[in-house]
Amino acid sequence: MESKEVKLIHETLFRLGANSSYLGFSYVTSCTVMVLENEEFLCQIKVPYIDTAAEYRTTSKCVERNIRTLLTTIWSNGNRDLLTEIAGAPLHRRPKNKAFIGMLADYVKKAECPPDAPQKTE
């Protein structure tokens, strides 16, 4: 069963114009979940690449390249308006892998806890 975060990441990637036939789709999902669990991984992006590579029995270089391919596809053919919304500012060039994973993680966090949502009190 997919977690709420994974479902939201997939939905967002689909809305951006990506599809799950790209290996980078799964790799972005995996790396983003790791960053959501531990924000320090964004400063050490090679760690999620290595862990994702182990999970999918490939190399970290393949993970990085396939994420880059996915981002190139999104940049060239995808939903630029949504990409700008996720980034929080206009983008003048394709985001780097690390930047995109960070933006996507922030977007998922904000979607899970909107600022106007009522806070639980005990």
Side-chain angles (χ1 to χ4, degrees), residues 35-109:
V35 168
L36 285 167
E37 292 171 352
N38 184 350
E39 288 183 14
E40 289 181 19
F41 282 152
L42 201 52
C43 296
Q44 306 164 358
I45 197 64
K46 295 296 180 192
V47 174
Y49 288 173
I50 292 166
D51 291 351
T52 298
E55 179 182 345
Y56 288 94
R57 297 180 183 201
T58 189
T59 66
S60 61
K61 293 280 186 199
C62 286
V63 169
E64 185 174 5
R65 183 185 67 238
N66 283 291
I67 291 172
R68 196 169 47 248
T69 299
L70 181 74
L71 289 177
T72 299
T73 300
I74 290 170
W75 182 254
S76 299
N77 307 313
N79 183 342
R80 286 273 183 100
D81 291 337
L82 179 58
L83 189 58
T84 299
E85 180 183 329
I86 291 168
L91 297 171
H92 302 290
R93 64 180 73 130
R94 178 183 62 81
K96 302 286 186 184
N97 293 8
K98 176 180 171 178
F100 180 75
I101 291 167
M103 293 183 316
L104 187 56
D106 285 343
Y107 185 78
V108 168
K109 272 192 271 186

Side-chain angles (χ1 to χ4, degrees), residues 7 9 120:
K7 286 181 182 180
I9 293 166
K120 290 183 181 180

Side-chain angles (χ1 to χ4, degrees), residues 6 9-10 13 24-34 104:
V6 170
I9 293 166
H10 286 178
L13 290 172
F25 189 96
S26 297
Y27 299 164
V28 164
T29 301
S30 179
C31 290
T32 304
V33 167
M34 287 182 213
L104 187 56

